[in-house]
């Protein structure tokens, strides 16, 4: 049994992950900004914690995660204004890493996307700010002393999960949110995922085997 804090707890992947972790016996705290989402989180078996990570400083984030065994970063600005994308997807994520180090929370799992880090997106492309924010956050995580894993799923779908993925795909492709949550749960339980960026799409390899492979 582990104590796990999920930041961005009302996201579609996060809600699925909360249910998986709760069902296997972990104690899950899900950080959400909107108190109206608390019932959705509680229905998964997780404990909702209302806090706005966009404005919390490192000390405030330490207070959220102290005593946890692991942090999962699944928050994002959701494609909003460029300034807010940088504030959440980059700056708040990096503050959460600093907070984890200060609080002695060793394990940190980042939910990213298949092509990160990607600094080739043209400046006039609306996706540029998100790509830059995620690249900065992912690259920073790899320089910390945390036991980190970065998850790089392909294009997310709401198809039912298959329990299998492909970690050898040369390009991004579809993968279900169910399977992304299952990969995150497997990574949290398997030390062999530490220090790895796991890029994946839908495929035929059982998730536990894919996560265990070095």
């Amino acid at each position: 049994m582990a104590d796990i804090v999920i930041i961005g707890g009302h996201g579609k992947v996060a809600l699925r992950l909360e249910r998986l972790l709760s069902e296997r016996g972990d104690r899950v705290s899900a950080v959400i900004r909107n108190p109206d989402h608390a019932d959705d989180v509680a229905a998964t078996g997780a404990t909702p914690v209302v806090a706005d990570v966009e404005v919390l400083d490192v000390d405030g984030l330490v207070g959220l995660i102290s005593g946890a065994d692991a942090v999962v970063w699944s928050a994002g600005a959701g494609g909003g204004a460029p300034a807010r994308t940088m504030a959440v997807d980059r700056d708040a994520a990096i503050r959460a890493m600093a907070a984890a180090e200060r609080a002695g929370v060793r394990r940190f799992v980042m939910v990213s996307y298949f092509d990160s880090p990607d600094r080739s997106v043209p400046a006039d492309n609306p996706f540029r700010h998100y790509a830059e924010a995620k690249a900065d956050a992912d690259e920073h995580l790899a320089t910390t002393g945390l036991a980190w894993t970065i998850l790089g799923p392909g294009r997310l779908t709401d198809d039912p999960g298959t329990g299998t993925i492909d970690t050898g795909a040369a390009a991004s492709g579809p993968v279900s949110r169910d399977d992304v949550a299952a990969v995150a749960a497997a990574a949290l339980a398997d030390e062999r995922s530490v220090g790895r960026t796991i890029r994946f799409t839908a495929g035929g390899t059982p998730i536990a085997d894919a996560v265990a492979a070095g």
Side-chain angles (χ1 to χ4, degrees):
M1 179 184 294
D3 288 299
I4 299 170
V5 176
I6 299 175
I7 299 176
H10 194 254
K12 292 180 180 180
V13 170
L15 288 168
R16 290 164 166 83
L17 177 58
E18 288 151 19
R19 188 175 299 281
L20 290 177
L21 297 177
S22 297
E23 288 176 349
R24 77 181 185 192
D26 292 327
R27 290 183 292 263
V28 184
S29 299
V31 179
I32 54 175
R33 185 172 60 89
N34 187 343
D36 292 341
H37 295 159
D39 287 347
D40 293 340
V41 167
T44 71
T47 300
V49 178
V50 179
D52 188 351
V53 298
E54 183 178 354
V55 300
L56 283 180
D57 61 12
V58 172
D59 288 338
L61 287 162
V62 167
L64 281 183
I65 67 176
S66 288
D69 298 301
V71 171
V72 177
W73 181 271
S74 192
R84 185 160 187 267
T85 296
M86 289 297 185
V88 177
D89 292 89
R90 182 188 66 189
D91 299 341
I94 290 173
R95 288 197 301 272
M97 298 168 204
E101 291 190 288
R102 186 179 299 179
V105 180
R106 171 178 172 274
R107 194 75 172 93
F108 198 106
V109 174
M110 168 69 75
V111 180
S112 188
Y113 73 105
F114 189 94
D115 291 319
S116 184
D118 179 9
R119 301 191 183 277
S120 67
V121 180
D124 60 351
N125 187 320
F127 188 71
R128 167 69 175 265
H129 300 284
Y130 177 77
E132 289 289 317
K134 293 303 286 184
D136 287 347
D138 292 353
E139 289 176 346
H140 183 82
L141 179 57
T143 71
T144 68
L146 298 168
W148 57 269
T149 304
I150 297 170
L151 304 182
R155 178 174 51 81
L156 303 178
T157 76
D158 288 324
D159 296 333
T162 63
T164 59
I165 58 172
D166 178 8
T167 57
S172 179
V175 64
S176 76
R177 290 180 172 88
D178 286 348
D179 286 332
V180 177
V183 171
L188 285 164
D190 194 331
E191 287 287 311
R192 288 169 292 188
S193 68
V194 170
R196 292 171 54 204
T197 296
I198 304 174
R199 296 182 176 86
F200 60 97
T201 62
T205 303
I207 285 171
D209 293 344
V211 168

